[in-house]
Amino acid sequence: MRVLVTGGAGYIGSTVARRLVDVGHEVIVLDNLSQGHRAAVPEPATFVEADLRARDRVARLLADHRPAAIMHFASHTLVGESMEAPLRYLDDNVRCGLNLMRAAVETGVERFILSSTANLFGLPERIPIDEDVTVDPGSPYGESKFILERMLHWLDERHGLRFAALRYFNAAGAAGPDQGEDHDPETHLIPLVLEVALGQRDQIVIFGDDYDTPDGTCVRDYVHVLDLAQAHILALDALGEGSRVYNLGNGDGYSVREVIETARRVTGHPIPAEVGDPRPGDPATLIAASDKIHRELGWTPQHGALEDIIGSAWEWHRRHPHGYAAA
Ligand code: UDP
């Protein structure tokens, strides 16, 4: 299948793009390189540098390349940043998705996979969070993804565009020693903790220790990026049978302190930590119930242990202390 991957130079997008290539799909990566890295795009994929905000360009690209499926990763993705700049998130994320969906409908694309998020659940009424938990986004970032999910719902209803919304909990780990997470600026817990272990930072700041959790720090469900990639492969095939929405996580929650403690064991570094202010928009606990995708598609995470997730990320960071820049 010819698959267009937006954001395919980014952390999750490039991992999925590589997996698509490995299982025999023809991949076209579209990325504006604002966050992504050219070096992260897998070798046989066609690379197009383009910005999804340019509606006419997007329409032309789809008309030229005629993909059978789209995987849409390109997005602003930070909860905290979206609380500071809500309009940027609501404008860019919604507009880019809309431009892409419009072009998809106009050119007869039949399958669309959306990167969605656990931030759809700001104050979840139960934990673990299954797909029937009420959506109540925790930030403008989460809201922008929910708007895209709803747009896809209607495009399926009225135009037969089949979609899968995959709500990632905390994507983490590295796909291999030479393919990993490289954000500038970095804001995610695991890479920041590993930067301390590498001596690039003095300490990690824990964003609040007064949450309603066992040790007072936020609890998250960290899921390996390779397991997320596999879910995309399964969802792409399953779209032949109709649209679907899945929550993707391991079903285990780890607190910020537990993550730091595990990283200390994995790296052998003391990793000094200090408690700071909570970050606006952060829910106390997010843990996925992924029974639905397990039941329907047989998805079972293969890299669920936190030690393995942090271990793979550590391998990447040690070998590439400056990310793709020095690759
Ligand atoms: N966190 C932290 N210090 C940091 C970065 C993150 O305490 O320097 C916490 C954050 O509050 C959240 C968890 O670590 O509870 C995971 O945050 P991350 O930004 O990695 O992912 P998110 O949950 O926002 O998707």
Side-chain angles (χ1 to χ4, degrees):
M1 208 182 283
R2 182 177 295 168
V3 186
L4 181 92
V5 180
T6 78
Y11 169 47
I12 306 175
S14 66
T15 303
V16 177
R18 188 173 298 270
R19 189 84 187 96
L20 285 166
V21 165
D22 287 349
V23 300
H25 293 291
E26 181 189 343
V27 174
I28 301 155
V29 165
L30 196 156
D31 200 298
N32 68 1
L33 298 183
S34 67
Q35 290 284 316
H37 307 276
R38 181 66 183 86
V41 178
E43 192 46 61
T46 301
F47 176 69
V48 181
E49 187 172 342
D51 195 309
L52 289 170
R53 286 171 291 206
R55 175 172 149 183
D56 293 346
R57 175 104 201 270
V58 174
R60 271 200 310 279
L61 279 170
L62 261 75
D64 288 348
H65 288 282
R66 296 263 159 196
I70 292 177
M71 294 195 182
H72 180 38
F73 299 90
S75 175
H76 301 305
T77 59
L78 303 176
V79 170
E81 188 181 65
S82 82
M83 296 295 274
E84 302 302 319
L87 283 169
R88 179 158 163 246
Y89 271 68
L90 293 165
D91 187 340
D92 284 352
N93 285 0
V94 174
R95 193 144 49 100
C96 290
L98 185 58
N99 288 345
L100 193 60
M101 289 175 204
R102 182 191 303 275
V105 167
E106 283 170 1
T107 56
V109 174
E110 285 175 350
R111 300 176 193 215
F112 195 110
I113 296 187
L114 173 71
S115 291
S116 189
T117 173
N119 197 258
L120 254 47
F121 307 103
L123 280 173
E125 69 239 24
R126 60 179 178 272
I127 303 278
I129 304 168
D130 58 69
E131 292 78 1
D132 294 328
V133 168
T134 309
V135 172
D136 180 14
S139 72
Y141 164 58
E143 192 74 50
S144 71
K145 292 290 184 172
F146 189 51
I147 292 169
L148 297 186
E149 287 196 6
R150 294 304 301 164
M151 295 196 316
L152 285 168
H153 163 80
W154 286 109
L155 297 180
D156 181 19
E157 282 283 312
R158 305 308 305 157
H159 292 294
L161 176 63
R162 288 181 173 162
F163 75 96
L166 302 182
R167 296 150 170 185
Y168 317 144
F169 281 59
N170 284 63
D178 300 318
Q179 192 181 11
E181 193 165 5
D182 178 6
H183 297 113
D184 184 20
E186 187 53 76
T187 64
H188 294 103
L189 179 63
I190 291 177
L192 286 176
V193 164
L194 296 179
E195 286 180 13
V196 179
L198 277 174
Q200 295 174 335
R201 286 175 192 270
D202 294 338
Q203 61 170 5
I204 184 78
V205 177
I206 296 171
F207 294 153
D209 67 351
D210 199 19
Y211 286 94
D212 185 15
T213 61
D215 69 14
T217 67
C218 287
V219 170
R220 294 288 180 273
D221 182 337
Y222 295 89
V223 54
H224 200 290
V225 67
L226 283 176
D227 286 322
L228 292 181
Q230 181 58 13
H232 289 73
I233 303 295
L234 296 172
L236 181 62
D237 288 343
L239 283 182
E241 314 287 313
S243 295
R244 54 206 59 232
V245 171
Y246 295 123
N247 293 355
L248 296 182
N250 282 305
D252 298 318
Y254 294 95
S255 72
V256 175
R257 284 195 192 283
E258 285 173 317
V259 168
I260 297 169
E261 202 42 60
T262 306
R264 286 178 180 140
R265 278 201 305 279
V266 167
T267 64
H269 189 283
I271 310 183
E274 170 187 288
V275 177
D277 291 336
R279 184 172 64 179
D282 270 345
T285 302
L286 292 173
I287 300 172
S290 296
D291 308 55
K292 186 176 171 215
I293 188 168
H294 176 69
R295 198 171 57 243
E296 295 185 2
L297 307 187
W299 183 72
T300 308
Q302 301 298 308
H303 312 274
L306 187 62
E307 296 240 351
D308 295 346
I309 290 173
I310 294 180
S312 70
W314 178 230
E315 189 65 19
W316 150 257
H317 282 283
R318 249 192 333 178
R319 286 172 66 135
H320 302 273
H322 303 290
Y324 288 100

